[in-house]
Amino acid sequence: MGDEQRDMPVTSADGTRLAVRRRGRGPAVVLVHGSAGGLDSWDPVVPHLDEDYELWVYARRGYQPSDPGRRSKTYADDVSDLEAVIAATGGPAHVVGGSYGAVVTLHAALRLETMNKIALFEPPLFTSGTDALKPYRDLLDAGDVPGAIRLFAERVARVPAEILAAFDGQGDPAEAAGSLHDLEAMAADRPDLGRWADVSLPTLIIQGGETWAPMPATMDALAEAMPKATRVVLPGQSHFATHTAPQQFAAEVRRFLA
Protein backbone atom coordinates (compact mmCIF):
# COMPACT_ATOMS: atom_id res chain seq x y z
CA MET A 1 0.00 0.00 0.00
CA GLY A 2 1.19 3.54 -0.77
CA ASP A 3 1.53 6.41 1.66
CA GLU A 4 -1.44 7.19 3.89
CA GLN A 5 -4.06 9.38 2.28
CA ARG A 6 -4.48 13.05 3.03
CA ASP A 7 -7.62 15.12 2.47
CA MET A 8 -7.37 18.80 1.60
CA PRO A 9 -9.35 21.62 0.00
CA VAL A 10 -8.39 23.13 -3.36
CA THR A 11 -9.95 26.34 -4.62
CA SER A 12 -10.79 26.74 -8.30
CA ALA A 13 -10.34 29.98 -10.22
CA ASP A 14 -13.90 31.19 -9.53
CA GLY A 15 -13.68 30.45 -5.79
CA THR A 16 -15.37 27.03 -5.89
CA ARG A 17 -13.91 24.83 -3.15
CA LEU A 18 -13.11 21.26 -4.13
CA ALA A 19 -12.60 18.33 -1.76
CA VAL A 20 -9.38 16.59 -2.77
CA ARG A 21 -7.73 13.39 -1.55
CA ARG A 22 -4.07 12.49 -2.12
CA ARG A 23 -2.55 9.05 -1.65
CA GLY A 24 0.53 7.16 -2.79
CA ARG A 25 3.95 8.20 -4.03
CA GLY A 26 5.55 8.73 -7.41
CA PRO A 27 4.51 10.73 -10.50
CA ALA A 28 1.22 12.57 -10.01
CA VAL A 29 -1.94 11.10 -11.51
CA VAL A 30 -5.28 12.93 -11.21
CA LEU A 31 -8.40 10.73 -11.38
CA VAL A 32 -11.62 12.41 -12.60
CA HIS A 33 -14.86 10.65 -11.66
CA GLY A 34 -18.04 10.23 -13.65
CA SER A 35 -21.66 11.21 -12.97
CA ALA A 36 -23.25 10.09 -9.70
CA GLY A 37 -19.74 9.71 -8.28
CA GLY A 38 -17.53 11.42 -5.75
CA LEU A 39 -14.41 11.03 -3.63
CA ASP A 40 -14.91 7.29 -3.34
CA SER A 41 -15.49 6.59 -7.05
CA TRP A 42 -11.93 5.38 -7.64
CA ASP A 43 -11.54 3.44 -4.37
CA PRO A 44 -11.42 0.01 -6.10
CA VAL A 45 -8.67 1.18 -8.49
CA VAL A 46 -6.47 3.21 -6.12
CA PRO A 47 -4.87 0.26 -4.24
CA HIS A 48 -3.60 -1.12 -7.55
CA LEU A 49 -1.77 2.10 -8.47
CA ASP A 50 -0.70 3.87 -5.28
CA GLU A 51 2.60 2.01 -4.87
CA ASP A 52 4.02 3.71 -7.97
CA TYR A 53 1.96 6.87 -8.40
CA GLU A 54 0.81 9.77 -6.26
CA LEU A 55 -2.93 9.63 -6.86
CA TRP A 56 -5.15 12.70 -6.58
CA VAL A 57 -8.92 12.19 -6.54
CA TYR A 58 -11.48 14.95 -6.05
CA ALA A 59 -15.20 15.44 -5.85
CA ARG A 60 -16.14 17.48 -8.89
CA ARG A 61 -18.14 20.66 -8.35
CA GLY A 62 -21.74 19.80 -7.59
CA TYR A 63 -20.77 16.66 -5.68
CA GLN A 64 -20.49 16.81 -1.90
CA PRO A 65 -18.37 17.73 -0.06
CA SER A 66 -17.22 20.05 -2.87
CA ASP A 67 -19.13 23.27 -3.55
CA PRO A 68 -22.02 23.23 -6.04
CA GLY A 69 -20.73 26.17 -8.09
CA ARG A 70 -22.35 29.54 -8.63
CA ARG A 71 -24.16 29.08 -11.97
CA SER A 72 -25.22 26.50 -14.53
CA LYS A 73 -22.17 24.39 -15.15
CA THR A 74 -20.22 24.03 -18.38
CA TYR A 75 -17.28 21.83 -19.27
CA ALA A 76 -15.13 24.96 -19.03
CA ASP A 77 -15.91 25.02 -15.29
CA ASP A 78 -14.85 21.38 -14.98
CA VAL A 79 -11.63 22.12 -16.85
CA SER A 80 -10.88 25.05 -14.56
CA ASP A 81 -11.39 22.78 -11.55
CA LEU A 82 -9.10 20.11 -12.99
CA GLU A 83 -6.50 22.78 -13.67
CA ALA A 84 -6.60 23.80 -10.00
CA VAL A 85 -6.13 20.21 -8.85
CA ILE A 86 -3.20 19.70 -11.23
CA ALA A 87 -1.64 22.90 -9.89
CA ALA A 88 -1.99 21.50 -6.35
CA THR A 89 0.04 18.43 -7.40
CA GLY A 90 2.90 20.71 -8.40
CA GLY A 91 2.16 19.79 -12.02
CA PRO A 92 2.32 18.60 -14.65
CA ALA A 93 0.33 15.41 -14.10
CA HIS A 94 -1.14 12.43 -15.88
CA VAL A 95 -4.96 12.44 -15.95
CA VAL A 96 -7.32 9.45 -15.94
CA GLY A 97 -10.99 10.20 -16.59
CA GLY A 98 -13.92 7.83 -16.23
CA SER A 99 -17.20 8.32 -18.12
CA TYR A 100 -18.21 12.00 -17.73
CA GLY A 101 -14.77 12.55 -16.22
CA ALA A 102 -13.25 11.30 -19.48
CA VAL A 103 -15.15 14.00 -21.39
CA VAL A 104 -13.78 16.57 -18.93
CA THR A 105 -10.30 15.18 -19.63
CA LEU A 106 -10.77 15.57 -23.38
CA HIS A 107 -11.88 19.18 -22.99
CA ALA A 108 -8.93 19.84 -20.71
CA ALA A 109 -6.52 18.30 -23.21
CA LEU A 110 -7.45 21.05 -25.68
CA ARG A 111 -6.87 23.85 -23.17
CA LEU A 112 -4.28 22.94 -20.56
CA GLU A 113 -0.50 22.66 -20.91
CA THR A 114 -0.02 20.95 -17.55
CA MET A 115 -1.08 17.44 -18.57
CA ASN A 116 1.28 14.63 -19.57
CA LYS A 117 -0.55 11.49 -20.68
CA ILE A 118 -4.33 11.00 -20.55
CA ALA A 119 -6.40 7.82 -20.18
CA LEU A 120 -10.07 7.90 -21.15
CA PHE A 121 -12.54 5.27 -19.98
CA GLU A 122 -15.69 5.31 -22.11
CA PRO A 123 -16.41 9.05 -22.44
CA PRO A 124 -20.16 9.26 -23.27
CA LEU A 125 -19.73 11.75 -26.09
CA PHE A 126 -23.17 10.80 -27.43
CA THR A 127 -24.70 12.81 -24.56
CA SER A 128 -23.57 16.16 -26.00
CA GLY A 129 -26.60 18.35 -26.64
CA THR A 130 -28.91 16.05 -24.66
CA ASP A 131 -32.56 17.06 -24.27
CA ALA A 132 -32.86 15.32 -20.88
CA LEU A 133 -31.98 18.37 -18.77
CA LYS A 134 -35.48 19.85 -18.42
CA PRO A 135 -37.36 16.63 -17.60
CA TYR A 136 -34.62 15.66 -15.16
CA ARG A 137 -34.81 19.02 -13.42
CA ASP A 138 -38.61 18.84 -13.35
CA LEU A 139 -38.46 15.48 -11.57
CA LEU A 140 -36.01 16.82 -8.99
CA ASP A 141 -38.17 19.92 -8.43
CA ALA A 142 -41.13 17.60 -7.82
CA GLY A 143 -39.12 15.67 -5.23
CA ASP A 144 -38.98 12.50 -7.34
CA VAL A 145 -35.31 11.67 -6.90
CA PRO A 146 -35.69 7.95 -7.85
CA GLY A 147 -37.55 8.97 -11.00
CA ALA A 148 -34.79 11.42 -11.93
CA ILE A 149 -32.09 8.81 -11.39
CA ARG A 150 -33.95 6.30 -13.56
CA LEU A 151 -34.44 8.93 -16.28
CA PHE A 152 -30.70 9.64 -16.26
CA ALA A 153 -29.90 5.96 -16.54
CA GLU A 154 -32.39 5.37 -19.35
CA ARG A 155 -32.20 8.53 -21.48
CA VAL A 156 -28.67 9.73 -20.83
CA ALA A 157 -26.56 6.66 -20.01
CA ARG A 158 -28.73 4.50 -22.31
CA VAL A 159 -28.68 1.63 -19.80
CA PRO A 160 -30.39 -1.45 -21.30
CA ALA A 161 -33.83 -2.47 -20.03
CA GLU A 162 -32.50 -5.63 -18.39
CA ILE A 163 -30.19 -3.53 -16.20
CA LEU A 164 -32.55 -0.61 -15.53
CA ALA A 165 -34.35 -2.44 -12.73
CA ALA A 166 -31.21 -2.05 -10.61
CA PHE A 167 -31.81 1.71 -10.59
CA ASP A 168 -35.41 1.51 -9.35
CA GLY A 169 -35.85 3.01 -5.92
CA GLN A 170 -32.40 4.61 -5.83
CA GLY A 171 -32.66 8.06 -4.35
CA ASP A 172 -29.49 9.78 -3.17
CA PRO A 173 -30.41 13.49 -3.42
CA ALA A 174 -26.78 14.62 -3.27
CA GLU A 175 -25.70 12.44 -6.18
CA ALA A 176 -28.84 13.38 -8.11
CA ALA A 177 -27.98 17.07 -7.66
CA GLY A 178 -24.48 16.43 -8.96
CA SER A 179 -25.85 14.68 -12.03
CA LEU A 180 -28.07 17.70 -12.66
CA HIS A 181 -24.99 19.91 -12.93
CA ASP A 182 -23.38 17.38 -15.27
CA LEU A 183 -26.49 17.48 -17.45
CA GLU A 184 -26.17 21.27 -17.66
CA ALA A 185 -22.73 20.85 -19.19
CA MET A 186 -23.83 18.02 -21.49
CA ALA A 187 -26.79 19.99 -22.80
CA ALA A 188 -24.59 23.00 -23.58
CA ASP A 189 -21.95 20.92 -25.38
CA ARG A 190 -21.83 20.25 -29.13
CA PRO A 191 -21.66 16.78 -30.70
CA ASP A 192 -18.50 17.36 -32.72
CA LEU A 193 -16.11 14.43 -32.39
CA GLY A 194 -13.78 15.88 -35.01
CA ARG A 195 -12.44 18.45 -32.55
CA TRP A 196 -10.69 15.74 -30.56
CA ALA A 197 -8.29 15.28 -33.47
CA ASP A 198 -6.54 18.38 -32.09
CA VAL A 199 -5.57 16.56 -28.88
CA SER A 200 -1.80 16.07 -29.13
CA LEU A 201 -1.19 14.33 -25.81
CA PRO A 202 -0.41 10.60 -25.64
CA THR A 203 -3.87 9.08 -25.15
CA LEU A 204 -5.23 5.73 -24.03
CA ILE A 205 -8.85 4.86 -24.87
CA ILE A 206 -10.27 2.10 -22.63
CA GLN A 207 -13.62 0.42 -23.11
CA GLY A 208 -15.47 -2.61 -21.86
CA GLY A 209 -16.01 -5.38 -24.36
CA GLU A 210 -19.61 -5.81 -23.19
CA THR A 211 -20.69 -2.17 -22.83
CA TRP A 212 -24.06 -1.48 -24.43
CA ALA A 213 -24.83 0.71 -27.46
CA PRO A 214 -24.12 3.39 -28.44
CA MET A 215 -20.80 3.31 -26.55
CA PRO A 216 -18.96 0.87 -28.89
CA ALA A 217 -19.79 2.97 -31.96
CA THR A 218 -18.87 6.13 -30.05
CA MET A 219 -15.46 4.68 -29.14
CA ASP A 220 -14.95 3.64 -32.77
CA ALA A 221 -15.64 7.23 -33.86
CA LEU A 222 -13.35 8.67 -31.18
CA ALA A 223 -10.52 6.33 -32.18
CA GLU A 224 -11.01 7.37 -35.80
CA ALA A 225 -10.77 11.03 -34.79
CA MET A 226 -7.64 10.29 -32.71
CA PRO A 227 -5.69 7.85 -34.91
CA LYS A 228 -2.53 8.06 -32.75
CA ALA A 229 -4.37 7.04 -29.58
CA THR A 230 -3.77 3.64 -28.02
CA ARG A 231 -6.94 1.58 -27.64
CA VAL A 232 -7.66 -1.21 -25.16
CA VAL A 233 -10.80 -3.34 -24.79
CA LEU A 234 -11.41 -5.13 -21.48
CA PRO A 235 -12.99 -8.50 -22.36
CA GLY A 236 -16.20 -9.32 -20.53
CA GLN A 237 -16.43 -5.90 -18.88
CA SER A 238 -18.90 -3.04 -19.21
CA HIS A 239 -19.23 0.61 -18.16
CA PHE A 240 -18.76 -0.57 -14.57
CA ALA A 241 -15.28 -2.00 -15.17
CA THR A 242 -13.56 0.25 -12.62
CA HIS A 243 -15.59 -1.61 -9.98
CA THR A 244 -15.94 -5.07 -11.49
CA ALA A 245 -12.34 -5.41 -12.76
CA PRO A 246 -10.27 -2.73 -10.99
CA GLN A 247 -7.02 -4.69 -11.10
CA GLN A 248 -7.35 -5.29 -14.83
CA PHE A 249 -8.27 -1.65 -15.40
CA ALA A 250 -5.31 -0.43 -13.32
CA ALA A 251 -2.94 -2.77 -15.15
CA GLU A 252 -3.80 -1.15 -18.48
CA VAL A 253 -3.37 2.34 -17.03
CA ARG A 254 -0.04 1.35 -15.45
CA ARG A 255 1.20 -0.16 -18.72
CA PHE A 256 0.31 3.03 -20.58
CA LEU A 257 1.83 5.43 -18.08
CA ALA A 258 5.05 3.46 -17.56
Side-chain angles (χ1 to χ4, degrees), residues 109-199:
L110 293 178
R111 288 186 45 191
L112 304 184
E113 298 180 355
T114 52
M115 301 166 67
N116 288 327
K117 295 181 177 182
I118 60 173
L120 313 169
F121 176 58
E122 297 196 338
L125 299 169
F126 53 83
T127 63
S128 297
T130 180
D131 61 357
L133 175 58
K134 184 181 184 304
Y136 185 90
R137 181 182 282 129
D138 288 345
L139 287 168
L140 286 188
D141 289 345
D144 186 1
V145 174
I149 290 173
R150 183 180 175 93
L151 181 144
F152 189 97
E154 185 173 19
R155 289 185 52 176
V156 182
R158 316 281 183 89
V159 174
E162 60 269 23
I163 304 177
L164 271 177
F167 292 85
D168 287 342
Q170 292 192 18
D172 186 327
E175 288 188 359
S179 294
L180 171 65
H181 297 303
D182 290 351
L183 273 171
E184 292 169 344
M186 294 176 199
D189 199 26
R190 54 192 175 90
D192 174 18
L193 270 66
R195 58 185 150 162
W196 310 125
D198 294 331
V199 174

Side-chain angles (χ1 to χ4, degrees), residues 49-135:
L49 292 173
D50 66 354
E51 286 289 346
D52 299 302
Y53 297 98
E54 182 179 78
L55 303 177
W56 294 68
V57 302
Y58 67 104
R60 292 188 290 97
R61 70 170 62 201
Y63 290 92
Q64 296 179 0
S66 293
D67 289 348
R70 294 166 171 76
R71 59 182 180 274
S72 292
K73 194 182 74 167
T74 65
Y75 281 113
D77 296 316
D78 282 308
V79 171
S80 182
D81 295 346
L82 176 55
E83 183 176 24
V85 176
I86 294 174
T89 74
H94 303 302
V95 178
V96 179
S99 193
Y100 179 98
V103 183
V104 173
T105 303
L106 276 169
H107 279 273
L110 293 178
R111 288 186 45 191
L112 304 184
E113 298 180 355
T114 52
M115 301 166 67
N116 288 327
K117 295 181 177 182
I118 60 173
L120 313 169
F121 176 58
E122 297 196 338
L125 299 169
F126 53 83
T127 63
S128 297
T130 180
D131 61 357
L133 175 58
K134 184 181 184 304

